């Protein structure tokens, strides 16, 4: 009988059941190509890409990888209806910072910041027919999901609770990513916004494994081969690792973000909605300390981004990450300044140790 890890690798078409977490804003096709080229599953995050950028990134993946599999990732939130009163309250909450940097609140352009999966995106994707497609914040509407399934794509999606895992399995996910509370970046929740319902990985993973028929992929705080082995020992069919890739040569992580990840500051992360309007885990910096880390004034995802953008730009121009989203999970100890293929080789040693 095949073990669950070799059956997940067979499902994904990879040598190892290791998924490089898609990470919008800090990586593109280059990291995905390096990871897929080394036998794991590289991912292209599309939440911050225009359809033109997506097409050119997908062409780069296809040209570099040929038949080797890769994953293409989308957010699937409901696009929000802008609310002028809430927007004004948000700018009011940020007024002391905006004044400090000489930014006129009235001159800040409104903008979406992150795009949900759409008909246009599905059309571009159909030109490339990727083997694996993953979603964050639930699944897209049934007609859009059916388009992806039409070419036989394997569909992955993140669950932050047992209820979400059961929902994803019932609505067409071929494997479920158990996203523990320690994970970096945005929480993938979609059934409840109550963060107190979300367990850490070692509480969530065995419960999902017990309840689901589909394979469960462990994510959150996995930083090295021992972490991989521990997740596999708890019944995971594979692992998805995010934060550990952030210092790799092929990531586009900014120098300020890299410096924070390498410093002691990386030991203190928090969930914050200040950067986008949705809870995401990042290193605590001045904005989180002085305005959050959570704020009731932040507009709905992803509208909070617009008013933060000029603050971030001005601070970064002065060499400061005080207003930058320094996304990181609770365990940044696996971040290494190496080619991604080397990190793949280090992490997959954990598969040999499980059980
Ligand atoms: C910088 C960063 C950006 C992220 N962006 C995305 C994204 O675009 N799509 C997604 O599905 N998950 C995203 N995530 C979450 C990951 O899928 C995953 O849950 C997380 O990285 C696992 O925890 P770890 O960071 O502790 O390894 C992001 C995580 C990080 C650290």
């Amino acid at each position: 009988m095949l073990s669950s890890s070799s059956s997940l690798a067979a499902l994904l078409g990879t040598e190892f059941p290791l998924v490089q977490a898609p990470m919008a804003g800090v990586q593109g096709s280059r990291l995905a190509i390096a990871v897929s080229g080394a036998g794991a599953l590289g991912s292209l995050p599309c939440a911050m890409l225009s359809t033109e950028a997506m097409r050119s990134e997908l062409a780069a993946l296809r040209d570099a990888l040929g038949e080797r599999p890769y994953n293409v990732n989308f957010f699937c939130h409901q696009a929000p209806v802008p609310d002028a009163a809430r927007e004004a309250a948000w700018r009011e909450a940020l007024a002391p910072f905006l004044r400090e940097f000489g930014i006129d609140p009235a001159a800040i352009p409104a903008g979406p910041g992150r795009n949900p999966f759409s008909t246009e995106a599905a059309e571009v994707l159909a030109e490339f027919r990727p083997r694996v497609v993953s979603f964050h914040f639930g699944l897209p509407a049934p007609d859009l999901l059916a388009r992806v399934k039409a070419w036989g794509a394997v569909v992955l999606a993140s669950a932050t609770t047992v209820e979400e895992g059961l929902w994803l399995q019932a609505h067409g996910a071929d494997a479920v990513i158990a996203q523990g509370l320690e994970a970096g970046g945005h929480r993938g929740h979609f059934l409840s916004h109550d963060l107190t319902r979300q367990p850490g990985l070692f509480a969530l993973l065995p419960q999902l494994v017990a309840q689901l028929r589909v394979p469960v992929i462990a994510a959150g705080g996995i930083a090295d081969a021992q972490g991989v082995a521990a997740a596999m020992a708890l019944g995971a069919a594979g692992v998805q690792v995010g934060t550990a890739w952030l210092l790799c040569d092929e990531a586009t992580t900014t120098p300020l973000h890299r410096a924070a990840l390498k410093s002691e500051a990386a030991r203190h992360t928090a969930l914050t909605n200040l950067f986008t309007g949705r809870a995401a885990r990042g290193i605590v910096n001045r904005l989180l300390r002085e305005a959050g880390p959570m704020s009731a004034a932040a507009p709905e995802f992803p509208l909070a981004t617009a008013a933060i953008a000029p603050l971030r730009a001005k601070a970064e121009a002065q060499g400061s990450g005080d207003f930058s989203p320094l996304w990181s999970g609770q365990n940044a100890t696996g971040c290494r300044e190496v080619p991604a293929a080397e990190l793949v080789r280090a992490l997959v040693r954990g598969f040999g140790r499980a059980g």
Side-chain angles (χ1 to χ4, degrees), residues 65-140:
L65 293 171
E67 293 301 305
R68 271 183 188 266
Y70 55 89
N71 169 39
V72 186
N73 170 262
F74 298 91
F75 285 177
C76 42
H77 55 286
Q78 287 289 325
V81 182
D83 175 337
R86 212 161 155 192
E87 193 57 46
W90 182 225
R91 285 169 199 215
E92 190 52 39
L94 297 175
F97 305 122
L98 296 170
R99 262 197 305 278
E100 182 182 324
F101 285 91
I103 298 162
D104 175 5
I108 298 171
R114 285 170 177 70
N115 307 314
F117 190 55
S118 62
T119 310
E120 298 74 53
E123 275 162 15
V124 175
L125 206 56
E127 295 168 25
F128 296 89
R129 302 162 70 100
R131 166 109 181 202
V132 185
V133 178
S134 75
F135 295 103
H136 216 41
F137 315 145
L139 288 169

Side-chain angles (χ1 to χ4, degrees), residues 21-24 26 45 73 75 136 179 182-186 219-222 240-243 246 327-329:
M23 296 185 289
V26 297
N73 170 262
F75 285 177
H136 216 41
Q179 191 195 32
E182 53 281 80
H186 282 94
I222 299 171
Q240 173 163 300
V241 174
T243 300
L246 288 172
W327 303 135
S328 171

Side-chain angles (χ1 to χ4, degrees), residues 183-185 268-272 275 280-285 288 325-329:
H268 188 191
T269 66
L271 293 178
T272 179
F275 291 106
R281 187 176 293 285
I283 297 171
V284 173
N285 60 5
L288 270 66
L326 303 171
W327 303 135
S328 171

Side-chain angles (χ1 to χ4, degrees), residues 305-319:
T305 315
I308 297 288
L311 275 173
R312 173 184 178 177
K314 290 249 181 181
E316 287 187 357
Q318 297 172 9

Side-chain angles (χ1 to χ4, degrees), residues 178-182 198-209 218-223 226-236 239:
Q179 191 195 32
L181 196 58
E182 53 281 80
Q198 300 182 15
L201 181 64
F202 274 25
L204 177 62
L205 175 61
Q207 296 186 65
L208 280 172
V209 170
I222 299 171
Q226 284 88 344
V228 171
M232 300 305 284
L234 278 182
V239 299

